[in-house]
Amino acid sequence: MFKKIITVSFVFIILINNYLRADEGMWIPLLLQKYNIEDMQKKGFKLTAEDIYSINKASMKDAVMIFGGGCTAELISDKGLIITNHHCGFSQIQDHSSLEHDYLTDGFWAKTPKDELRNPGLTVTFLVSMEDVTNQVLAGVEDDGEEGVRQKMIAQNIEKIVAQAIKGTHFQGEVKSFFYGNQYFLFVQEEYKDVRLVGAPPSAIGKFGGDTDNWMWPRHTGDFSLFRIYADKDNKPAEYSEENVPYKPKKHFSISVKGVQPDDFTMVFGYPGSTEQYLTSYAVDMIQNKINPYRIEIRQNIIDIMLEDMEKNPAVRIQYADKHASVSNAWKKWIGENNGLERLDAVNVKKQREAALTQWINQEDSRQQLYSYILPEFEKIYADYAQYSFAEEYFFEAVWRMESVKMAGRMKYLIEKGSEFTTEDVDKIRNSAKSFFKDYNIETDKKIFKALLSLYLKNVDTKFQPDFTKFIKSKYLPLTESEKLDEYVDYYFEKSFFLHEDKLMAFFDTYAKADYKKLENAPAYLFYKNFVNMYVTQIMPVVKSYDEKITNLNRFYMRALTMADTSKVFYPDANFTLRVTYGKVADYEPRDGVRYKHYTTLDGIIEKDNPDIYDYRVPQRLKDLYSAREYGIYAENGELHTCFIGTNHTTGGNSGSPVLNANGELIGVNFDRCWEGTMSDIMYDPAQCRNIALDIRYALFLIDKFAGAGYLLDEMSIVK
Ligand code: ARG
Ligand code: GLU
């Protein structure tokens, strides 16, 4: 009863404090005026909160977009030209690449608008406006009600709010939870669907250092690509059409070629995906000690196999380039994250904070009534939850990554149609299969399948292993023996005819009434079906019910944390909504006796040059430009800066985000974090956490001098 009263009138973020904060935090644009702008200006920012976010005039938010499903991009011309990372545009660049037109290797530059390449499915999304809708979302929702019931009501309320907000417009709407359901914001968005590829450097530049340098400093990656947004003649979103014209933005960023100095103010404005700053010690312990080590091991296996096959065969290199990059990215991050958590002694730090919180709770009866059950309850839950969470993670990391299993999943559609199918149904799956085979190498898949299955059998409790005996002939038992496993894998790949393109296409040519049974009986489908069934019955329901309990507890825990420290302004975890993070250009000391500079230069690329190592092959043209020192206006004291680092608190999703100076001019494009600081998703350390930005001057130099695409610079607003 009492709880209910406090929530509805619960004011979440509390006091503005004046003490100097560390550069931690991902701030809500709408609330900058209230909580941050003074601090930002004290740190050097020269503009106002309205310049960043406004619904009354053009502001920076009108120049920043979600790019595709998980990156950020920003406008850099009044003709709809946008810049993002090379790794964000990578799958599009790969899609347009073949052995004949290998844009991955050679780069791509559209000479005229006509040469720009369309990308079906690629969208960019603008934020039109945002609004606190907490009261509407929680209307009629009992604060201490059962979580499942609450969530249902909340979903209903959200549906109404969104419908109301976008009524009569072409906008999209979305409501997201902040501070674990203590606050809700509505986001009205506008999505453009005709986004064309304009330019990309060769991978030897855009991915220079590859996965060897990924997540590391010093870094020399020219990680950018250029796209252009097209609109209909009224400047509105439209499907691709030759009639479409370049989008006319409300605002685009000016580009500064003045460079950066240590301690300069910097700000990153983009879409951080997800962080977990307020986890309890129990949760951190589970991630660090139970989940991460196994995720790392699984992916290590996949990576080793992919790399081996990619080294041997250039066609496989193209097919698996994107897959390899995405598997190895999180793998390496988790290794860094675990190192960082260990170094910070994160579990114990959290334990100390929990002890302090408990002390605060015990000071007053009313607090005890509200909060004292929370931490003991967390402890109890995680003690059992960990095994389910582990099994779920294993299912997604191992089983769900098997390509044959993904293919089996595609066959499900036809199997469910049974004998009642149409030719369209068959064509649909045929097309989907064709796109699958474009990037599929069965030998690679087979090796990965074997490695992952054997890990699964070894590491996952038998209660989470489907009853193999039902569908694998007894001769393959026990499957844990390597020889038996080999036999089974051979059988699996041979008999799963839908993994062979020629066989499958011939099969579809004559597809008839009872043929779905052949799909259904293929070993890969049986495998898929049994595993999914096990997951859906044995793991998912338990995880879901624990998740509900945890969600509920987190909501009250978060409240307790904020009530206990009213002098602090809390920031919400990242949730792929637009955020501002600000800090300064800064070097750091990764270990005793070593200090990393805040920037790198082209000299470092030449230093790393090694024709024998794929990741370090420097294009001849870049070497020539280096020898001639042909840097033009992009040089600083005779050097060409390539990347720089700062204390901005960023995470995945911030890739492609604009890095801005005190005047709001573009000085860089965010693309990574330094390895020693990758635990910042869970615990930020001002001494170690650094974001990595491409120095915008390196991008301009590449467009101008390397690619000879200087005509693109003519449409940009460059501040000298
Ligand atoms: N680590 C960066 C991010 O998380 C870059 C990833 C792409 N680069 C790569 N070598 N895989 O997205
Ligand atoms: N590369 C990341 C991305 O794609 C950004 C690096 C990070 O996680 O901070 O969003």
Side-chain angles (χ1 to χ4, degrees), residues 350-363 375 564:
K350 290 272 181 182
K351 281 207 162 89
Q352 281 157 20
R353 288 183 196 165
E354 285 157 14
L357 182 70
T358 305
Q359 213 177 13
W360 175 84
I361 292 171
N362 289 338
Q363 278 164 5
L375 283 165

Side-chain angles (χ1 to χ4, degrees), residues 398-399 402 448-458 468 472 479 485 488-489 492 527 531:
V399 179
M402 297 168 172
I448 292 174
F449 177 83
K450 190 185 160 194
L452 299 190
L453 180 55
S454 117
L455 281 176
Y456 196 98
L457 296 171
K458 184 174 90 190
F468 275 94
I472 302 173
L479 254 190
L485 190 57
Y488 171 64
V489 173
Y492 175 103
F527 185 95
F531 263 98

Side-chain angles (χ1 to χ4, degrees), residues 586-597:
D587 57 11
Y588 75 111
E589 266 179 53
R591 38 183 194 281
D592 184 44
V594 179
R595 179 169 282 277
Y596 283 149
K597 278 208 290 206

Side-chain angles (χ1 to χ4, degrees), residues 258-265 585-586 598 636:
K258 285 191 228 116
V260 296
Q261 301 302 323
D263 293 331
D264 276 0
F265 174 89
V585 174
H598 67 281
E636 181 173 334

